[in-house]
Amino acid sequence: MTILAGIWLLLAPFVLDQVPAADGLGAYWNDLVLGTAIVVLASIRMVASDRLPWLSLVNALLGPWLVASPFVLECRQRRMPTKRRAMMLPPVCSCS
């Protein structure tokens, strides 16, 4: 389930017509970087679960950033509000 959440974050900038922020890190780059991190961590955790149990903690710590990032980065977009989307994914990422 966590891998699917990461894949959604990777696809979200394109599905939701986000554009890269000209003045720094916006929702576009945040979603791409965080989605990549979640997919990589979940994939490694799936393959080497008994050798690297601390990766679940790292993945769970990304959840609060998912909630805070739209407010910190002051994201603006035309479709589904980034803030509402950010509130839906942390429980999925934290439960793995």
Side-chain angles (χ1 to χ4, degrees):
M1 189 68 146
T2 304
I3 291 177
L4 292 176
I7 291 171
W8 164 245
L9 279 173
L10 284 170
L11 294 175
F14 307 105
V15 173
L16 300 175
D17 294 331
Q18 294 174 344
V19 293
D23 58 348
L25 182 66
Y28 181 88
W29 291 111
N30 185 60
D31 286 354
L32 290 178
V33 170
L34 205 57
T36 302
I38 289 172
V39 168
V40 168
L41 289 173
S43 299
I44 292 171
R45 181 79 170 108
M46 191 169 51
V47 173
S49 61
D50 42 333
R51 289 179 295 185
L52 302 168
W54 56 271
L55 283 180
S56 288
L57 178 62
V58 173
N59 214 7
L61 292 175
L62 294 176
W65 175 249
L66 272 171
V67 173
S69 63
F71 302 99
V72 173
L73 301 174
E74 298 180 10
C75 299
R76 294 173 186 88
Q77 67 183 46
R78 292 173 283 186
R79 286 185 170 173
M80 181 181 179
T82 304
K83 293 175 184 172
R84 190 176 337 148
R85 179 175 45 87
M87 298 296 215
M88 295 185 309
L89 284 179
V92 173
C93 295
S94 298
C95 292
S96 64

